[in-house]
Amino acid sequence: DCQMLLNQLKEITGIQDSAFLHAALKAANGDLMEAVTFLTEEHAQEPAQDTAAAEPSDWEGSAVGRQLPQNVAAALTPNSRDDLHTADAFSPLEPCTAQAAERDAAERPPEGHSAESKNRPKRKRCEVWGENPKQNDWRRVGDWPVGMKNIGNTCWFSAVIQSLFQLPEFRRLVLGYSLPQNVLEGCRSRTGKRNIVFMQELQCLFALMLGTHRKFVDPSAALELLRDAFRSAEEQQQDVSEFTHKLLDWLEDAFQLAVNVRSPGDKSENPMVQLFYGTFLTEGVHEGNPFSKIETFGQYPLQVNGYRNLNECLEGAMVEGEMDEAAASQALKYGRERWFTKLPPVLTFELSRFEFNQSLGQPEKIHTRLEFPQTIYMDRYLYCSKELVQMKREETKRLKEKMDVLQQKLESYMKYGSGPARFPLPDMLQYVLEFIATKPAAQGSGTTLLQAEPGALDGLPEPTGLPGRKDVGTEDGAFFMADPSPQPKASEPLQPSAAPAEAAEHPAPHVVSAEELSLVRTCLQRWRGEIEQDVQDLKDSIARIGLSLEQMYCDPLLQQVPYRLHAVLVHEGQANAGHYWAYIYDQTRNSWLKYNDISVTESSWEELERDSFGGLKNASAYCLMYISDKLSHRVAGEDVGSGVGHFQKEVDALSPELQHYVQEDNWRLEREAEEWEEEQSCKIPQMESSPTSESQDLSSESGPDQSSVCEQCVRSLSSEHALIAKEQTAKAIANTADAYEKNGVEAALCEAFHEEYSRLYLLAKEKPTPQNDARLQHVLIYFLRNNAPQQVVERTLLEQFADKNLSYDERSISIMKVARAKLREIGPDDVDMEEYRRWHQDYSLFRKVSVYLLTGLELYQNGKYQESLTYLVYAYQSNAKLLLKGASRGVDESLIALYRRECLLKLNEVAAALFVSCEEARVAEGVGILNELIIPCMHLMNTFEISREDLDAIELMRNRWCSYLGREDMD
């Protein structure tokens, strides 16, 4: 039993350390749910700790909490980069003291409270489902898709079967499968009989998935037939691709029995072959001799390693080797080329994410990131497009070679020098100027090294140290290269800035005359201008080539064969163990659904990307299922036509035997529910006292003071912002693998905190544009851009690492727990929570303004001027409140004003056209638009600070309506 629980824990959490899992089970007294809670999020005492965190009494006894205000700013200043390698340089991330550990142990709730917390709904990285004691949770809601029970390491079966079931064409084929009686009786082979029985069990399973009243179905019968087909199926998880190959083989053989009745041996008539199998042509040269052959494929295998996206994977699979003379004589551009000659309606790509490690003697999973689109155009891989695609490939090769040359030239400017430490050449010229403009200390007490003029963010600590440090190494050199300090423009003369009085001991020339200083400054200005122009020209050329490469295959001639993404099968874990689930697009609901064993939940493309692309954690897509555009439209048309209840229509079309099977199972469900209610009624007398005591316990806990309520509200908003930045935070944690392995979780959090702070600081220095506003990427970019207090910045960033949604793996969980411990050590006296709340509210409003603006622009482009004007007016008014606090608090006001004005003029034209039609209904509609939208908006625009453009627009609209006065041709 213990070994079975350990295996389930490995599958659910992805953690392979048996000793670690055994300790979690022991701490949970053998309770699987409790053990998963320990491993995937913080312990059950979290609610008690969160409540206590708002009480000042707890902070008075916290030595670390008292030291926080004095040490945080200095420790977080990026100038002390080297000091981050020591544990005592970063006070908010110090190891938890023994007293803190004792306090945590004291705050751990008693067993009764722990059990209560366990039953509360919690968001986990991987939902754990068992036999739920509440019978209402057994029942299906309407036509919502059902889940599938995991019968011990069978999540692979659920992922594949759900993906196939949600293909209406496949579902109809399975449910409509039948064989004449003489074929059934004449089947003598063991495999033939097995395939027929499997088809019958699959029909029963599909019928239940259509018509059951249960929330999930039990696939045990179909699974029992599969167990003999795999070795040690009870002990190992099955490979998705291996199972899918076997499944399609069985289905093909089963349908071939039916085809043989009409056309013996003709596989082209087999519906499984027609639905899932295609052909490709291989052309190449072997030992100087050209060859070509046509092959059939079902699941097309693709190597993931070394590629960034699916198209690159396909390109790598279709083209092998460089062109030689023999290949050139056959009009081949490369040594071997593959071209699809026939594509199936369901196109499945098998992503090879495992490789064998020779040194370890075992397989390893490839966790690299691989992006894939929702729609892929297959024209560029078809034989009929060969000539055009070969031209595109040659052009791509030429442009990449040209880009490599330009990149090398650019690097020679940005990494200038002959030693190990190299810097951008324009910055080095600036440093020379600072040196020559520095006066020796002996000439006066107030003379120091002159620094570059500070920028808009001069109130914040700079993320780099001085470039003149003697201990600068290669790593530091790369860091200085990204120095975000504002640099003078090429058109402005280079000037040394005013110097602080405390830095008088920096290197300085012994003697510099005014003539020498003037000459050097003139030369440096001219050289820097030339260099910056060269750098900009290189960047522009690289950008143009990059754009050309991106649009290389956007030719309309290569966008005639689209395939839509239908399902993504995801694997989480390592090569020897893990967990499978599937994302499947629901045509009826126009949304992605996540199928995770018995759980079926609504999802999004963003969640799918996060779980499927890989690179951030140990979960990634393992199999992609695309369907042809024609099949996709046919499915969508059927779903729209059938509307709600389309599953019920399919149930009504089932054979009488299958209908009876579904009805019988639903009857059993009702009997089980009745028995459960009877059991519960017997237990009621034993539980009569518990509600009272429970309510008393809760009432004693529910009475936080006003500051605690305020902090809960702030935590909700800041948690939302942490969730927005979840991927960026996860990437920062992923980059700390070395620090985590060598120095532990404290050092890993310290490194991740500092690197993320530096990265965000650099982004905050960039000026926002309408095309690219970095403030929308991360709340801290907005804070840094607007000179938020350092305490607000530090606490917000620490909360990013304390977000429980980061529970991806053991390292993330450990860092999350340490970050939460640090947050609990920050007292209310250390951070003004009211000010903290206002900053987060401002950022939330800023994001809303951006949403209002983009929605308004989209509606405007689609000609929906009434709806667009409403969004644009709200965007302008909300943005005006932000701009009162600072120019960088909101969006460019002129941009919103421009489209508000243009939209108002368009709407005025619409209203006027309706008015002059002289048709009673249209006239009333035009006057309604005038009264309800146009005039109120004109009042909002006609303020003391109205622009000339808005004033002209208002006068234009007034004149239009006044011109109708006195017209005899109008009623």
Side-chain angles (χ1 to χ4, degrees):
D1 291 343
C2 182
Q3 186 59 44
M4 183 180 69
L5 289 174
L6 285 175
N7 290 338
Q8 290 178 345
L9 274 180
K10 287 182 180 180
E11 176 185 351
I12 292 167
T13 65
I15 299 173
Q16 303 303 312
D17 189 335
S18 297
F20 186 63
L21 296 176
H22 190 273
L25 268 178
K26 186 175 180 181
N29 294 323
D31 189 311
L32 181 65
M33 288 282 287
E34 188 75 13
V36 172
T37 302
F38 285 148
L39 293 167
T40 57
E41 59 180 338
E42 62 189 352
H43 294 315
Q45 69 266 26
E46 178 194 343
Q49 289 178 341
D50 287 347
T51 304
E55 299 176 4
S57 59
D58 283 350
W59 302 110
E60 292 172 3
S62 173
V64 179
R66 304 306 300 168
Q67 296 172 0
L68 188 69
Q70 292 79 17
N71 299 335
V72 169
L76 286 183
T77 302
N79 287 331
S80 57
R81 177 179 179 83
D82 291 340
D83 296 335
L84 287 174
H85 296 292
T86 60
D88 57 352
F90 191 23
S91 61
L93 300 181
E94 290 171 354
C96 296
T97 61
Q99 292 86 349
E102 292 173 3
R103 185 178 70 248
D104 287 346
E107 289 174 355
R108 186 174 293 113
E111 292 183 5
H113 190 278
S114 176
E116 175 188 296
S117 302
K118 179 181 66 177
N119 291 328
R120 293 176 184 168
K122 298 179 181 178
R123 293 181 59 195
K124 298 182 178 64
R125 176 175 59 86
C126 182
E127 298 258 348
V128 183
W129 296 89
E131 297 296 337
N132 199 313
K134 296 182 180 179
Q135 60 98 6
N136 286 335
D137 291 338
W138 302 345
R139 296 187 182 277
R140 183 181 190 175
V141 179
D143 264 357
W144 191 256
V146 299
M148 195 170 294
K149 187 176 179 181
N150 188 335
I151 313 169
N153 293 341
T154 58
C155 49
W156 48 274
F157 181 84
S158 172
V160 174
I161 291 296
Q162 291 279 23
S163 302
L164 295 173
F165 175 80
Q166 295 303 327
L167 288 169
E169 183 68 23
F170 180 81
R171 194 165 63 235
R172 278 195 294 269
L173 287 171
V174 171
L175 291 172
Y177 179 81
S178 64
L179 289 174
Q181 188 63 32
N182 62 325
V183 175
L184 290 173
E185 295 173 353
C187 184
R188 295 285 184 262
S189 68
R190 188 177 66 86
T191 56
K193 291 179 180 179
R194 179 203 61 195
N195 293 341
I196 292 173
V197 175
F198 176 74
M199 279 299 302
Q200 292 170 345
E201 292 297 344
L202 195 60
Q203 281 183 321
C204 292
L205 181 61
F206 275 25
L208 281 182
M209 293 170 74
L210 280 176
T212 186
H213 294 166
R214 300 179 189 270
K215 198 171 185 177
F216 57 91
V217 296
D218 187 337
S220 299
L223 267 169
E224 283 301 320
L225 294 171
L226 283 170
R227 291 196 184 274
D228 292 338
F230 297 100
R231 182 181 302 173
S232 303
E234 291 83 357
E235 300 175 4
Q236 299 179 5
Q237 289 184 316
Q238 301 310 315
D239 182 278
V240 166
S241 60
E242 181 187 1
F243 166 67
T244 310
H245 280 301
K246 184 69 67 178
L247 177 66
L248 291 179
D249 286 345
W250 286 18
L251 293 173
E252 181 187 343
D253 292 344
F255 275 95
Q256 192 62 41
L257 292 173
V259 171
N260 288 339
V261 175
R262 304 184 304 272
S263 306
D266 187 0
K267 287 200 171 186
S268 63
E269 295 294 320
N270 191 312
M272 288 294 108
V273 173
Q274 294 173 348
L275 192 60
F276 293 103
Y277 289 86
T279 57
F280 64 88
L281 171 69
T282 302
E283 295 182 318
V285 177
H286 180 66
E287 296 180 353
N289 299 316
F291 72 91
S292 64
K293 61 178 178 178
I294 293 181
E295 299 175 70
T296 302
F297 70 93
Q299 288 179 284
Y300 199 81
L302 294 174
Q303 293 294 328
V304 170
N305 212 4
Y307 299 108
R308 296 174 301 171
N309 55 58
L310 182 60
N311 273 312
E312 285 188 6
C313 265
L314 274 167
E315 190 76 15
M318 306 305 279
V319 177
E320 295 180 9
E322 294 294 332
M323 178 178 64
D324 57 19
E325 293 183 4
S329 66
Q330 298 298 318
L332 296 175
K333 301 298 181 183
Y334 298 88
R336 176 177 296 186
E337 293 180 350
R338 292 187 181 92
W339 302 94
F340 290 118
T341 53
K342 178 188 174 184
L343 291 172
V346 180
L347 182 59
T348 306
F349 294 118
E350 174 189 316
L351 305 182
S352 178
R353 281 195 170 271
F354 295 122
E355 62 182 6
F356 192 80
N357 188 318
Q358 297 289 346
S359 59
L360 297 178
Q362 63 183 24
E364 284 186 336
K365 186 176 179 183
I366 302 170
H367 294 292
T368 54
R369 181 178 177 86
L370 183 84
E371 300 179 4
F372 47 85
Q374 296 192 61
T375 300
I376 185 171
Y377 294 95
M378 296 300 295
D379 308 69
R380 61 189 281 192
Y381 310 109
L382 291 175
Y383 185 74
C384 59
S385 306
K386 174 181 175 180
E387 186 174 344
L388 177 58
V389 172
Q390 285 181 337
M391 292 172 55
K392 297 283 187 182
R393 286 175 180 169
E394 285 301 301
E395 178 66 10
T396 298
K397 182 179 179 182
R398 185 186 66 81
L399 288 176
K400 285 184 176 179
E401 290 173 351
K402 185 176 180 181
M403 180 180 277
D404 289 341
V405 173
L406 294 176
Q407 290 280 15
Q408 291 174 6
K409 288 183 179 180
L410 179 61
E411 188 171 354
S412 68
Y413 283 104
M414 304 312 293
K415 294 183 178 180
Y416 188 83
S418 57
R422 303 190 179 194
F423 307 96
L425 186 53
D427 292 352
M428 295 181 72
L429 296 178
Q430 173 66 20
Y431 303 154
V432 173
L433 176 64
E434 292 175 359
F435 169 76
I436 201 170
T438 304
K439 297 179 181 179
Q443 294 186 14
S445 60
T447 57
T448 63
L449 172 66
L450 301 180
Q451 298 176 337
E453 182 180 351
L457 304 179
D458 54 0
L460 295 172
E462 289 290 336
T464 60
L466 292 172
R469 284 172 22 186
K470 295 180 180 179
D471 58 341
V472 171
T474 304
E475 180 181 352
D476 290 330
F479 183 74
F480 292 134
M481 194 182 70
D483 186 357
S485 309
Q487 304 294 348
K489 297 180 180 177
S491 59
E492 301 172 355
L494 288 171
Q495 294 291 346
S497 63
E502 66 272 15
E505 298 182 359
H506 286 287
H510 289 233
V511 177
V512 178
S513 66
E515 292 79 6
E516 289 173 331
L517 184 60
S518 175
L519 176 62
V520 171
R521 181 180 294 121
T522 302
C523 292
L524 290 176
Q525 173 63 34
R526 185 178 74 252
W527 294 340
R528 177 164 180 164
E530 295 169 355
I531 291 168
E532 288 186 336
Q533 185 60 49
D534 290 345
V535 169
Q536 189 58 48
D537 291 344
L538 286 169
K539 288 181 177 179
D540 291 343
S541 299
I542 291 171
R544 283 194 298 271
I545 293 175
L547 184 62
S548 298
L549 288 172
E550 288 178 8
Q551 299 177 349
M552 181 62 66
Y553 292 96
C554 293
D555 192 322
L557 295 174
L558 296 177
Q559 294 183 335
Q560 304 298 312
V561 187
Y563 271 71
R564 314 289 177 187
L565 186 61
H566 164 69
V568 179
L569 278 61
V570 180
H571 176 267
E572 180 180 32
Q574 301 301 326
N576 57 348
H579 182 59
Y580 291 102
W581 67 88
Y583 289 100
I584 304 173
Y585 188 74
D586 191 298
Q587 297 275 9
T588 308
R589 298 171 177 83
N590 292 322
S591 66
W592 287 95
L593 301 184
K594 181 179 181 179
Y595 292 77
N596 189 357
D597 289 338
I598 72 169
S599 166
V600 181
T601 55
E602 191 164 4
S603 186
S604 64
W605 176 250
E606 290 71 27
E607 183 183 2
L608 188 154
E609 281 185 346
R610 194 163 55 245
D611 284 349
S612 307
F613 282 4
L616 291 179
K617 51 179 183 175
N618 58 354
S620 53
Y622 195 62
C623 186
L624 307 176
M625 194 176 290
Y626 284 86
I627 58 177
S628 67
D629 197 45
K630 294 179 182 178
L631 182 62
S632 175
H633 287 315
R634 189 160 73 242
V635 170
E638 291 171 357
D639 287 340
V640 171
S642 59
V644 179
H646 66 283
F647 274 0
Q648 186 57 46
K649 292 184 178 180
E650 292 191 52
V651 172
D652 295 338
L654 292 174
S655 66
E657 294 82 7
L658 289 177
Q659 286 189 18
H660 177 73
Y661 181 77
V662 172
Q663 291 167 359
E664 191 178 53
D665 186 75
N666 288 335
W667 177 82
R668 279 198 299 270
L669 173 65
E670 297 305 323
R671 291 295 304 159
E672 291 169 8
E674 291 174 7
E675 292 172 1
W676 182 86
E677 289 175 356
E678 290 176 4
E679 291 178 3
Q680 295 306 306
S681 64
C682 296
K683 296 179 182 178
I684 287 177
Q686 303 171 11
M687 302 294 291
E688 282 179 349
S689 61
S690 59
T692 307
S693 59
E694 247 180 56
S695 61
Q696 289 175 350
D697 292 339
L698 291 174
S699 64
S700 65
E701 293 176 7
S702 61
D705 56 14
Q706 190 172 1
S707 65
S708 178
V709 175
C710 173
E711 187 172 4
Q712 292 287 345
C713 177
V714 174
R715 186 182 296 116
S716 174
L717 199 56
S718 61
S719 297
E720 178 184 339
H721 296 156
L723 189 60
I724 295 171
K726 179 181 171 183
E727 286 190 19
Q728 302 174 56
T729 310
K731 190 173 182 180
I733 292 176
N735 293 334
T736 63
D738 291 340
Y740 181 84
E741 294 296 333
K742 295 177 182 177
N743 303 316
V745 62
E746 297 279 348
L749 176 56
C750 182
E751 179 177 316
F753 189 106
H754 179 73
E755 294 297 331
E756 186 68 356
Y757 182 94
S758 300
R759 184 184 71 84
L760 296 172
Y761 188 93
L762 293 175
L763 289 173
K765 304 277 279 187
E766 298 176 3
K767 185 177 180 181
T769 65
Q771 294 80 14
N772 182 24
D773 192 343
R775 294 175 296 175
L776 290 170
Q777 298 177 21
H778 203 291
V779 59
L780 283 181
I781 297 177
Y782 181 87
F783 286 1
L784 292 168
R785 184 78 190 171
N786 290 285
N787 297 326
Q790 191 70 15
Q791 293 87 346
V792 172
V793 173
E794 292 164 0
R795 181 184 176 94
T796 301
L797 184 53
L798 197 55
E799 284 194 348
Q800 309 282 324
F801 293 95
D803 183 16
K804 64 181 179 181
N805 293 295
L806 292 172
S807 304
Y808 293 143
D809 53 23
E810 185 178 353
R811 183 168 73 250
S812 300
I813 296 169
S814 301
I815 289 178
M816 175 195 70
K817 290 179 179 178
V818 173
R820 289 195 167 197
K822 302 307 174 185
L823 278 176
R824 289 194 291 270
E825 293 168 3
I826 300 177
D829 297 333
D830 303 327
V831 178
D832 184 347
M833 295 307 293
E834 181 60 29
E835 181 181 41
Y836 187 81
R837 179 183 64 82
R838 287 196 300 268
W839 275 99
H840 279 277
Q841 285 180 335
D842 284 354
Y843 183 66
S844 181
L845 183 59
F846 168 72
R847 290 183 63 87
K848 289 178 182 176
V849 167
S850 301
V851 172
Y852 292 157
L853 174 58
L854 291 174
T855 306
L857 292 179
E858 183 179 5
L859 291 168
Y860 174 81
Q861 295 292 344
N862 293 330
K864 298 180 180 179
Y865 303 122
Q866 295 187 50
E867 298 91 335
S868 173
L869 185 62
T870 303
Y871 278 100
L872 293 172
V873 167
Y874 271 104
Y876 189 93
Q877 298 301 114
S878 301
N879 193 58
K881 296 178 183 177
L882 291 173
L883 293 179
L884 291 174
K885 301 180 181 180
S888 296
R889 290 290 185 103
V891 182
D892 182 8
E893 192 174 49
S894 61
L895 181 68
I896 309 178
L898 169 64
Y899 281 97
R900 181 185 64 173
R901 181 170 61 250
E902 294 295 327
C903 186
L904 186 61
L905 290 170
K906 292 277 189 183
L907 188 59
N908 189 68
E909 291 291 330
V910 172
L914 291 168
F915 185 81
V916 301
S917 68
C918 295
E919 297 176 16
E920 185 173 351
R922 291 167 62 83
V923 169
E925 183 182 357
V927 173
I929 294 175
L930 178 67
N931 286 330
E932 295 170 11
L933 288 172
I934 296 175
I935 291 176
C937 186
M938 290 168 66
H939 277 295
L940 289 174
M941 293 167 62
N942 197 11
T943 62
F944 177 74
E945 299 177 348
I946 187 172
S947 66
R948 167 51 56 185
E949 292 82 2
D950 282 351
L951 194 59
D952 291 342
I954 290 175
E955 289 300 319
L956 182 66
M957 290 184 285
R958 282 176 175 164
N959 292 338
R960 177 69 177 268
W961 289 98
C962 290
S963 68
Y964 299 145
L965 294 173
R967 294 242 319 240
E968 295 180 358
D969 59 336
M970 299 180 69
D971 189 354

